[in-house]
């Protein structure tokens, strides 16, 4: 096991993504999600870190791991994907992967493995994908590396150091969905090495050196993989001169779909390529990344027969000497028979009527990301000859177009046009009215600069995309519209649904919507799908309650963009909280009801308390208490006043008696006379005078006692 240096330890501790295990010095990684996918890439590890043995996916790409030991991956019996891409692996123990019984994908590309060991894969019986690209090994080794991988479906190997492929190297591989081989410096290939692999879905070959210097070997390799059902992709081919076509004639006739990536060709090589595919039953030809070094003198290729080709695709074209390059009339043989034609990002500024009138079979035309303008676009269709009469789909996105009037004028001449793509253009306004073909159903003007819309838009549309413009409202009447895409604008509310009686899908994400409700959606008679997330929602009680019911699918309209995209923007204390997690109190949601209920409860309790106090004579007791306190206060005030004046205190009263009505007769007939008689000669000063007048208190007690006996 490799110990981490102190520098690495400090770096890992600083980013809080890993720690050092104190038991054996190995680092650990805990960056695993709920699905047990552990992403430990770009973390500076120099050895395999300790990860939970429950992990299903372990990404260790772009670290500095140089070795995999016998025990580094022990216990990971559930691991399905292991990615060691972009490390410094130079050594792997023969039994390092033996415990990975469930492994389905293994990526060891872009490392420093000079020798491949068949024992690495001896226990990986269910492995589906293996990537060994761009390691400095020169052979696949012996015995056969893939002998036990009976379920392998995607295999990638090779690199700039691969020198030879022997017939037994692919033993055990019977059928593949994808095969990628990089052999730019391949020096030896045994015919039949790939011959036993069937079926073979797609093949990607990077054979720059063999195609240039050893065409016979390249032809033998192609002959083993070329089948009508196999998609062939050739990478990094540089043909600076003409090349012999005879070795490839047999294999090219079995290809139906051919792709060329990063292709450099001279005029002579272009003519050779056209001669190679002349008359072959090729259905599609795709060229991505084409560099032309010549002057476009392809006269000898003008008679190339490509009548079987339905699709031609070319993108990212670079002409090294554009000033000397000939007019594009030399490529007319590429335009005569194709139903689907794409010329993308090729710096094309003119597609003349001379060429378009040759496109008698073209139904799909993509000239996006070029230099076409409103002026040059007008030369695309001939005035005196029917042009592009079968065209149904036209894509001119990414061109510097500014006038919708010019576009509609062009479209009117395309009588079968159904789909029109003009996104990423310079349209900033619309004329009041336009003319369009009655067949137009789909229109995309997204990512332009439109601020308003007018009746210029065709009423026959079924799908309209105005996303990422600067629109604030959309009030046109489009009776046949089924899909409306308005994301990335400045809408404050949903468009009125009454204008679109057949609308089924509405997308209005990333606007400035604050709120919408059930009444807004009910105005759309047939709306089924809604995407309105990533707006600035005001989370009121009504909106939260309504949206929650829609998110759980209780309504007729499906929210397609999920709960996570609906987040509160206000009030401030809820900002950033998902609407589905908001819990508002009844005080916030029903203030009138809350106040009404609270007042009703308070009134009821008040009435109940009043009845109880009345039944218990509490009001009478309160009245008597107040009278007693008032009398006592007045007595104290008079006493203080007399003391200040120095006069003798006068007797105001001897006692204060509180009684009920049923005791009134006793108080008036006995108590009062008795008290007046006893206190007529002496001033009582409570309680000091009690022992001087015992007979009074004795008689009072006796009277009270007699009264109690009478009541009993």
């Amino acid at each position: 096991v490799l110990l981490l240096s102190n520098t690495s330890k400090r770096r890992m501790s600083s980013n809080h993504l890993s720690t050092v295990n104190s038991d054996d010095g190995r680092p650990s990684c805990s960056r695993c999600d709920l699905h047990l996918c552990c992403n430990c890439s770009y973390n500076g590890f120099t050895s395999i870190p300790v990860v939970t043995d429950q992990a299903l996916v372990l990404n260790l790409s772009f670290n500095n791991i140089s070795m995999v030991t016998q025990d580094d991956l022990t216990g990971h019996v559930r691991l399905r994907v292991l990615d060691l891409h972009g490390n410094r692996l130079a050594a792997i123990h023969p039994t390092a992967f033996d415990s990975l019984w469930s492994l389905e994908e293994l990526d060891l590309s872009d490392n420093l493995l000079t020798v491949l060991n068949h024992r690495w894969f001896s226990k990986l019986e269910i492995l589906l994908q293996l990537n060994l690209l761009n390691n400095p090994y020169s052979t696949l080794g012996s015995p056969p590396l893939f002998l036990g991988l009976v379920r392998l479906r995607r295999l990638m190997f090779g690199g700039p150091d691969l020198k030879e492929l022997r017939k037994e190297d692919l033993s055990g591989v019977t059928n593949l969905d994808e095969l990628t081989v990089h052999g730019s410096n391949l020096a030896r290939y045994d015919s039949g090495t790939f011959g036993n692999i069937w079926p073979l879905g797609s093949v990607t070959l990077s054979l720059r050196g063999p195609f240039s210097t050893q065409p016979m070997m390249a032809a033998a390799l192609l002959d083993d993989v070329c089948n009508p059902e196999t998609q062939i992709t050739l990478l990094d081919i540089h043909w600076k001169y003409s090349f012999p076509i005879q070795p490839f004639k047999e294999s090219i006739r079995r290809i139906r779909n051919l792709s060329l990536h990063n292709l450099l060709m001279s005029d002579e090589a272009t003519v050779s390529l056209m001669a190679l595919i002349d008359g072959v039953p090729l259905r599609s030809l795709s060229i991505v990344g084409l560099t032309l070094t010549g002057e476009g003198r392809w006269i000898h290729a003008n008679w190339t027969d490509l009548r079987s080709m339905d699709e031609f695709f070319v993108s990212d074209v670079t002409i090294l000497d554009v000033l000397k390059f000939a007019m594009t009339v030399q490529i007319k043989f590429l335009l005569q028979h194709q139903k689907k034609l794409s010329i993308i990002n090729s710096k094309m500024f003119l597609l003349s009527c001379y060429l378009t009138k040759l496109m008698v079979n073209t139904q799909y035309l993509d000239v996006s990301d070029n230099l076409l303008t409103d002026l040059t676009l007008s030369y695309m269709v001939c005035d005196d000859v029917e042009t592009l009469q079968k065209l149904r789909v036209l894509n001119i996105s990414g061109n510097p177009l500014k006038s919708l009037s010019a576009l509609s004028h062009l479209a009117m001449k395309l009588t079968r046009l159904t789909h029109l793509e003009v996104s990423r253009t310079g349209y900033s306004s619309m004329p009041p009215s336009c003319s369009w073909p009655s067949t137009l159903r789909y229109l995309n003007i997204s990512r332009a600069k439109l601020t308003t819309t007018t009746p210029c838009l065709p009423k026959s549309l079924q799908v309209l995309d105005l996303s990422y413009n600067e629109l604030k409202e959309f009030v046109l009447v489009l009776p046949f519209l089924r899909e409306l895409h308005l994301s990335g604008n400045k809408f404050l509310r949903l468009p009125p649904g009454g204008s679109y009686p057949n609308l089924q899908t509405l997308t209005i994400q990333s606007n400035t919507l604050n709120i919408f409700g059930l009444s807004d959606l009910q105005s759309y008679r047939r709306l089924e799908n809604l995407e309105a997330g990533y707006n600035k929602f005001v989370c009121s009680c009504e909106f939260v309650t309504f949206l929650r019911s829609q998110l759980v699918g209780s309504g007729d309209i499906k929210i397609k963009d999920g709960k996570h995209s609906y987040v509160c923007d206000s009030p401030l204390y809820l900002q950033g909280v998902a609407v589905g997690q908001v819990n508002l109190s009844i005080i916030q949601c029903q203030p009138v009801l809350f106040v009404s209920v609270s007042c009703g409860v308070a009134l009821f309790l008040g009435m109940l308390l009043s009845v109880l106090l009345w039944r218990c004579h509490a009001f009478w007791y309160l009245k008597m208490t107040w009278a007693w306190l008032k009398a006592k206060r007045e007595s104290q005030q008079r006493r203080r006043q007399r003391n200040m004046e120095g006069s003798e205190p006068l007797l105001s009263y001897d006692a204060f008696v509180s009684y009920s009505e049923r005791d009134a007769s006793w108080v008036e007939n006995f108590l009062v006379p008795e008290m007046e008689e006893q206190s007529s000669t002496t001033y009582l000063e409570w309680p000091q005078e009690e022992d001087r007048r015992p007979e009074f208190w004795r008689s009072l007690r006796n009277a009270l006692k007699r009264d109690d006996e009478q009541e009993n």
Side-chain angles (χ1 to χ4, degrees):
V1 178
L2 294 178
L3 297 179
L4 291 173
S5 64
N6 291 332
T7 303
S8 298
K9 292 178 183 179
R10 287 194 297 269
R11 181 169 61 249
M12 292 179 188
S13 298
S14 64
N15 57 24
H16 303 287
L17 296 177
S18 59
T19 58
V20 176
N21 191 312
S22 59
D23 296 335
D24 56 6
R26 287 174 58 192
S28 63
C29 177
S30 58
R31 198 167 66 178
C32 302
D33 60 20
L34 297 176
H35 303 288
L36 298 176
C37 297
C38 301
N39 184 4
C40 304
S41 60
Y42 293 100
N43 212 27
F45 293 122
T46 58
S47 63
I48 301 293
V50 176
V51 183
T52 172
D53 56 7
Q54 300 299 312
L56 300 178
V57 177
L58 178 55
N59 183 358
L60 293 170
S61 60
F62 300 104
N63 284 287
N64 298 315
I65 300 171
S66 59
M67 184 179 190
V68 182
T69 68
Q70 182 179 6
D71 301 323
D72 282 346
L73 296 169
T74 301
H76 289 279
V77 295
R78 300 185 61 195
L79 194 65
R80 296 181 181 178
V81 179
L82 176 60
D83 188 352
L84 288 164
H85 166 74
N87 280 276
R88 299 179 180 179
L89 277 178
I92 300 176
H93 192 276
T95 62
F97 303 139
D98 281 4
S99 63
L100 307 182
W101 306 322
S102 303
L103 197 66
E104 297 177 352
E105 297 182 16
L106 176 61
D107 192 342
L108 298 173
S109 61
D110 295 297
N111 280 287
L112 303 175
L113 298 172
T114 57
V115 178
L116 303 179
N117 192 334
H118 74 283
R119 292 189 61 190
W120 296 343
F121 316 119
S122 60
K123 302 293 184 180
L124 307 181
E125 297 178 354
I126 66 170
L127 193 68
L128 298 176
Q129 176 173 316
L130 176 60
N131 189 347
L132 299 170
L133 287 171
N134 298 325
N135 281 277
Y137 51 82
S138 58
T139 66
L140 294 181
S142 181
L145 195 63
F146 316 114
L147 194 58
L149 305 180
V150 294
R151 298 187 61 184
L152 194 64
R153 293 296 176 266
R154 294 179 293 277
L155 175 61
M156 292 148 276
F157 68 88
D161 293 281
L162 184 64
K163 300 300 182 184
E164 63 178 41
L165 286 174
R166 296 169 297 181
K167 193 168 185 178
E168 63 272 15
D169 285 344
L170 274 294
S171 296
V173 181
T174 56
N175 59 84
L176 292 173
D177 296 331
E178 298 178 18
L179 173 64
T180 300
V181 180
H182 287 191
S184 58
N185 296 312
L186 193 66
R188 173 188 171 184
Y189 176 79
D190 291 349
S191 180
T193 300
F194 298 124
N196 294 325
I197 304 176
W198 179 259
L200 189 55
S202 66
V203 177
T204 301
L205 303 173
S206 178
L207 303 172
R208 176 177 175 178
F211 270 112
S212 299
T213 60
Q214 300 188 60
M216 295 298 295
M217 185 179 69
L221 197 156
L222 271 180
D223 194 59
D224 284 346
V225 298
C226 288
N227 295 286
E229 294 81 9
T230 303
Q231 167 73 42
I232 303 296
T233 302
L234 303 179
L235 307 178
D236 305 320
I237 299 178
H238 289 191
W239 282 324
K240 297 182 180 180
Y241 309 100
S242 62
F243 58 89
I245 64 173
Q246 193 60 37
F248 302 99
K249 270 293 186 180
E250 185 62 29
S251 56
I252 199 70
R253 288 187 179 278
R254 298 200 303 271
I255 299 178
R256 298 294 179 268
N257 303 289
L258 177 62
S259 296
L260 304 172
H261 290 207
N262 191 18
L263 176 64
L264 183 145
M265 290 198 306
S266 62
D267 285 347
E268 296 81 4
T270 302
V271 173
S272 297
L273 179 62
M274 294 300 105
L276 178 62
I277 63 176
D278 181 25
V280 302
L282 194 65
R283 288 197 294 262
S284 70
L285 175 61
S286 173
I287 304 176
V288 179
L290 174 62
T291 301
L292 298 173
T293 62
E295 299 178 357
R297 308 297 179 182
W298 306 337
I299 298 176
H300 296 291
N302 279 352
W303 296 274
T304 303
D305 182 7
L306 299 177
R307 67 184 63 191
S308 64
M309 187 187 298
D310 291 332
E311 179 180 356
F312 176 67
F313 178 96
V314 61
S315 69
D316 305 321
V317 178
T318 300
I319 301 175
L320 296 184
D321 196 348
V322 67
L323 297 179
K324 293 183 179 180
F325 201 80
M327 296 297 292
T328 55
V329 294
Q330 303 294 344
I331 66 171
K332 63 181 181 180
F333 60 92
L334 289 173
L335 311 175
Q336 294 175 340
H337 306 289
Q338 287 68 45
K339 295 180 180 179
K340 189 174 182 179
L341 179 62
S342 301
I343 307 174
I344 301 171
N345 192 23
S346 302
K347 299 180 178 62
M348 180 174 62
F349 60 88
L350 175 66
L351 184 59
S352 67
C353 162
Y354 177 81
L355 292 177
T356 56
K357 70 181 181 181
L358 298 175
M359 303 178 188
V360 292
N361 294 314
T362 304
Q363 300 178 12
Y364 178 99
L365 178 59
D366 187 348
V367 289
S368 58
D369 297 307
N370 282 289
L371 302 176
L372 299 173
T373 64
D374 296 321
L375 178 61
T376 58
L377 201 64
S378 63
Y379 294 103
M380 185 173 168
V381 179
C382 304
D383 293 330
D384 55 344
V385 180
E386 290 186 351
T387 311
L388 299 173
Q389 291 303 299
K390 293 185 178 181
L391 189 66
R392 296 181 180 275
V393 180
L394 175 61
N395 188 349
I396 50 177
S397 300
N399 284 279
L401 305 175
K402 297 182 179 180
S403 173
L404 270 174
S405 297
L407 177 65
S408 66
H409 181 72
L410 168 67
M412 274 299 294
K413 298 180 180 180
L414 307 175
T415 55
R416 295 189 180 182
L417 188 67
T418 59
H419 288 64
L420 179 59
E421 292 260 3
V422 285
S423 62
R424 296 179 287 112
T425 53
Y427 297 129
S428 59
S429 61
M430 292 185 181
S433 61
C434 303
S435 298
W436 302 91
S438 59
T439 56
L440 192 60
R441 299 290 182 267
Y442 176 95
L443 178 60
N444 182 357
I445 321 181
S446 62
R447 299 185 184 277
K449 301 176 182 179
L450 294 173
T451 56
T452 58
T453 56
T454 69
C456 171
L457 294 176
K459 294 186 179 300
S460 60
L461 289 178
Q462 295 181 359
V463 179
L464 175 61
D465 192 345
L466 293 172
S467 302
Y468 298 97
N469 281 279
E470 299 178 8
L471 301 174
K472 295 182 179 180
E473 60 179 3
F474 187 73
V475 293
L476 299 179
V477 177
L478 298 173
F480 304 105
L481 197 65
R482 293 186 300 179
E483 294 185 22
L484 178 59
H485 303 277
L486 298 173
S487 297
N489 284 282
K490 299 179 180 180
F491 285 89
L492 295 174
R493 60 184 63 87
L494 295 179
S499 302
Y500 323 106
N502 291 296
L503 192 67
Q504 298 175 3
T505 299
L506 174 61
T507 303
I508 192 167
Q509 295 178 325
S510 302
N511 279 269
T512 53
L513 284 179
N514 296 133
I515 196 170
F516 62 90
L518 183 61
S519 60
D520 297 316
L521 298 184
Q522 287 178 340
S523 64
Y524 298 92
R525 301 177 188 175
R526 298 186 178 180
L527 190 63
E528 298 177 358
N529 304 308
L530 174 66
E531 295 182 14
Y534 307 107
N535 278 286
K536 299 183 180 299
F537 293 117
V538 177
C539 285
S540 63
C541 294
E542 295 82 2
F543 178 71
V544 170
T545 303
F546 159 73
L547 192 58
R548 275 182 174 176
S549 64
Q550 295 295 321
L551 289 173
V552 298
S554 61
D556 296 332
I557 299 173
K558 296 180 181 179
I559 304 293
K560 304 292 289 186
D561 45 356
K563 300 178 181 179
H564 64 278
S565 58
Y566 293 85
V567 178
C568 298
D569 185 68
S570 64
L572 189 60
Y573 70 93
L574 290 176
Q575 194 172 60
V577 180
V579 175
Q581 299 177 353
V582 173
N583 292 310
L584 298 175
S585 65
I586 189 173
I587 300 177
Q588 297 170 295
C589 295
Q590 302 288 345
V592 176
L593 177 62
F594 177 77
V595 171
S596 301
V597 172
S598 300
C599 292
V601 171
L603 181 60
F604 173 77
L605 293 177
M607 294 175 64
L608 181 62
L609 180 62
S610 299
V611 171
L612 290 175
L613 292 176
W614 178 77
R615 294 289 297 177
C616 296
H617 305 286
F619 296 110
W620 184 85
Y621 284 109
L622 289 175
K623 184 178 179 181
M624 291 300 102
T625 301
W626 170 248
W628 178 79
L629 292 174
K630 183 177 179 181
K632 185 176 181 180
R633 181 173 178 274
E634 292 177 354
S635 174
Q636 291 175 350
Q637 289 178 348
R638 287 194 295 269
R639 186 180 296 116
R640 284 196 299 268
Q641 185 177 2
R642 293 191 183 99
N643 290 338
M644 291 176 61
E645 296 175 354
S647 58
E648 293 293 330
L650 299 176
L651 180 65
S652 299
Y653 55 86
D654 295 311
F656 183 85
V657 180
S658 175
Y659 58 93
S660 64
E661 292 181 357
R662 63 183 182 179
D663 298 328
S665 60
W666 180 84
V667 171
E668 294 175 357
N669 298 327
F670 174 79
L671 181 62
V672 172
E674 188 70 20
M675 292 183 67
E676 289 178 350
E677 180 181 353
Q678 297 292 338
S679 61
S680 59
T681 59
T682 306
Y683 167 70
L684 275 179
E685 187 174 344
W686 178 271
Q688 290 81 0
E689 297 295 328
E690 180 181 3
D691 51 354
R692 281 190 265 172
R693 301 170 53 231
E695 63 280 2
F696 168 74
W697 303 111
R698 190 180 304 113
S699 62
L700 181 59
R701 284 195 297 270
N702 294 332
L704 293 174
K705 184 177 180 181
R706 288 194 303 269
D707 185 63
D708 292 338
E709 291 176 351
Q710 291 177 0
E711 289 185 356
N712 293 332

